[in-house]
């Protein structure tokens, strides 16, 4: 249980340090989108992003449901 708590702490630290960074998301619908990472709720069930770039255009801000995200990454710059 201690190891799980440490992994959770590191994950939450990573999310906190990721604010304002570019991120790529692969959604369940096989759509790839990119955005500026904003924040996550405590349960990590929703992720707030800014400047969401989709095939249909750009949204100023959006909430992505974690259940719709297959994976996300932060490109190295």
């Amino acid at each position: 249980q201690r190891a799980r708590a440490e992994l959770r702490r590191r994950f939450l630290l990573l999310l906190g340090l990721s604010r304002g960074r570019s991120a790529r998301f692969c959604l369940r619908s096989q759509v790839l989108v990119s955005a500026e990472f904003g924040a996550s709720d405590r349960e990590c069930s929703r992720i707030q992003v800014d400047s969401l770039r989709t095939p249909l255009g750009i949204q100023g801000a959006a909430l992505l449901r974690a259940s719709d995200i297959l994976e996300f990454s932060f490109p190295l710059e």
Side-chain angles (χ1 to χ4, degrees):
Q1 184 155 349
R2 198 173 303 194
R4 288 184 70 176
E6 177 61 18
L7 289 173
R8 175 95 173 138
R9 186 189 71 78
R10 288 181 186 186
F11 178 71
L12 293 175
L13 179 63
L14 171 72
L15 289 180
L17 294 172
S18 301
R19 183 167 179 79
R21 294 193 53 142
S22 280
R24 287 188 222 145
F25 299 88
C26 179
L27 306 178
R28 280 193 183 272
S29 58
Q30 302 303 318
V31 174
L32 297 173
V33 297
S34 59
E36 184 178 298
F37 190 89
S40 171
D41 63 358
R42 194 167 65 163
E43 296 83 24
C44 295
S45 61
R46 290 178 292 275
I47 297 175
Q48 183 272 322
V49 297
D50 295 312
S51 302
L52 177 66
R53 291 173 289 289
T54 72
L56 297 177
I58 297 176
Q59 282 293 113
L63 268 178
L64 301 177
R65 294 181 300 203
S67 60
D68 291 336
I69 299 171
L70 293 176
E71 65 179 86
F72 69 96
S73 62
F74 298 99
L76 297 176
E77 298 172 327

